[in-house]
Amino acid sequence: MFEKTLIPVAYGEKPEELKKIGNILKSFGSRSICLFHVSEAGSLFRGSDISWMEAHKDVLEELDLTVEIRTGSDHIASAIAEAALQEGADEIYLKAKRHWQIRTMLLGSVSRDLLRLSDIPVFVHKIRPRLPGEGEGRISREDLIILYATDLDEISNRPIPYLMDFQGAWCHILHVRDRRADPHSEERQKKKIDELLLGASEELAPYFGRVSSEQRLGDPAGEVLHVSEQIKADVIVLGRKRRGFLAAPMGETAERIVTRTKASIFLVP
């Protein structure tokens, strides 16, 4: 499911950093990489020689990855989202910059736009340093801790096939809901959710060393962030709902989680 990955690259990107990314993606099953560079309108480098990308191509090919180079122009996030569809990519990989977290606690504008615009899954690698393939002392894929936050509806169930591809040591399934008005309704809802969580746990059990689940009452984004820190999740897996016209396309809950967590994010539209 992660066979082909599109990686946006900027001028000045270091080949050795791309090699680390290649190792990570290869550990998740990627065999083909599309390196994509966008020249913004008015950029000093617009239309310039892109031979610098050949060094990036070379280091990835050393890992036995198939690599192709593509370019685009104008609005960066839109160009990336369109290229990913045209190239038949299974996912888009973004390396979030550490200083974005320190200075603003927000992803950069390109990343935020892409998370809203993309019609294919986006993997945002953030500052929690526990992904396979990252160098000295790196963990194996079997050590991964995944937090799967779900509304238990059709949209939220779409990430399940990707979770099966992630695999790992532990998948914790979390559902956050409101309290019902009366004790009888609350008990019925709790029982219903427990049954749905058990079904999801049984479906994922063959792919993880351990699968657990829980339901919580409260603010969804706040609870996901809290549980993520509790279990030291390496990746938070979310489904993204498209909202109506003029509404936030990613949804307030998902956006708060993406911008505030230290864990990496895998967002499935």
Side-chain angles (χ1 to χ4, degrees), residues 176-193:
V176 185
R177 63 179 179 86
D178 295 326
R179 186 183 297 277
R180 289 301 174 100
D182 62 88
H184 183 61
S185 297
E186 173 65 21
E187 186 59 32
R188 282 192 304 171
Q189 182 68 0
K190 183 178 184 300
K191 183 178 179 181
K192 177 184 176 182
I193 296 300

Side-chain angles (χ1 to χ4, degrees), residues 206-225:
Y207 303 92
F208 291 88
R210 172 188 174 194
V211 177
S212 57
S213 65
E214 67 173 310
Q215 56 175 296
R216 290 189 171 219
L217 302 174
D219 168 56
E223 292 298 330
V224 170
L225 292 167

